[in-house]
Amino acid sequence: MEDAEFDRALVASAFRLAAEEGWRRVTVAEAARRAGLRLDQARARFPVRGMVLLRFGRLADQAALARATAEGGPRDRLFDLLMRRFDFVQAHRAGVLALLRHLPTDPGAAALLACDTLRSMGWMLDGAGIGSRGLRGLLRAKGLVAVWMWTMRTWQADESEDLGPTMAALDSALRRAERVERCLHPGAAAPAPEAAPPPSPAPAFTEPPGPFAEPPSPAI
């Protein structure tokens, strides 16, 4: 079994185990046994349980970024990426809810997830063609973490099949974030999307951008 397939199988097993018995009872060894996976490979790929959380975040990011597109405005692209990330989380809903119930009693896991979520939101910005480098990029990523966490609260109570309330909460949060950055940076130029360097410099903005503003001719 290839590493990527192994990781998906073990992570899925771990979250099924969490749904059944709570996150506190989850171990890498037990998740591997239940999925019929080799323990030696589990030890090599997941030396500590925290690696399950990191792999889960990476798989969620990959699911979102797999269909990243340059079409539409920056906020629309971010919305699509984050909703695809929620679709991945939804597929493991019961286990994720068990994890969220456990986090207040596990500061280490909470801190690990906080750092990983910030890194993930940087990838979401990059995937949407929005600069994530430098101080402003870091502030954008932190703002997007707040958007994600706020929407997550709605997702936890959202039992609809189409995640309509979650979609509405995400759209509202992104619009609020955009208004906030317009207030904080009136007239400041946002960086062009970070991609392979174009043969000539990208054109500058000609009007005050929002938090997710894009240049007139974004680099592909």
Side-chain angles (χ1 to χ4, degrees):
M1 181 181 294
E2 295 184 357
D3 287 345
E5 183 182 359
F6 184 95
D7 290 357
R8 287 192 296 270
L10 192 140
V11 166
S13 180
F15 276 85
R16 285 194 299 270
L17 179 57
E20 296 170 8
E21 301 186 18
W23 186 259
R24 188 179 298 276
R25 300 291 298 275
V26 173
T27 67
V28 173
E30 183 60 22
R33 288 192 191 95
R34 293 197 177 200
L37 302 173
R38 289 174 46 183
L39 287 178
D40 60 331
Q41 192 172 359
R43 172 63 179 84
R45 301 290 300 164
F46 297 84
V48 295
R49 187 176 64 167
M51 291 299 298
V52 174
L53 300 181
L54 296 181
R55 288 286 196 280
F56 184 84
R58 183 183 300 178
L59 290 171
D61 293 345
Q62 290 172 343
L65 294 167
R67 290 186 294 166
T69 176
E71 298 179 358
R75 178 163 47 79
D76 292 335
R77 295 197 295 265
L78 256 186
F79 177 87
D80 289 341
L81 285 170
L82 292 176
M83 277 311 304
R84 283 198 289 272
R85 202 170 191 273
F86 271 114
D87 287 341
F88 179 87
V89 173
Q90 178 72 2
H92 304 275
R93 181 179 181 84
V96 173
L97 292 176
L99 170 63
L100 293 175
R101 290 191 295 269
H102 169 79
L103 286 180
T105 68
D106 191 341
L112 180 68
L113 274 179
C115 293
D116 194 54
T117 301
L118 180 61
R119 183 163 47 245
S120 290
M121 293 304 107
W123 271 102
M124 296 301 103
L125 288 168
D126 288 337
I130 303 168
S132 66
R133 291 184 179 176
L135 178 59
R136 189 171 182 188
L138 177 60
L139 292 176
R140 280 175 168 166
K142 288 185 175 181
L144 199 56
V145 169
V147 166
W148 175 261
M149 297 305 295
W150 174 267
T151 310
M152 178 67 75
R153 292 175 60 186
T154 299
W155 173 82
Q156 288 178 253
D158 185 358
E159 298 182 357
S160 65
E161 292 185 4
D162 63 356
L163 295 182
T166 299
M167 294 173 66
L170 176 59
D171 182 66
S172 176
L174 286 173
R175 290 180 185 277
R176 286 199 301 271
E178 190 169 29
R179 289 195 297 270
V180 167
E181 186 165 320
R182 284 186 184 276
C183 292
L184 293 177
H185 303 283
E194 297 171 5
S200 59
F205 287 105
T206 57
E207 61 181 21
F212 313 128
E214 61 181 343
S217 302
I220 303 300

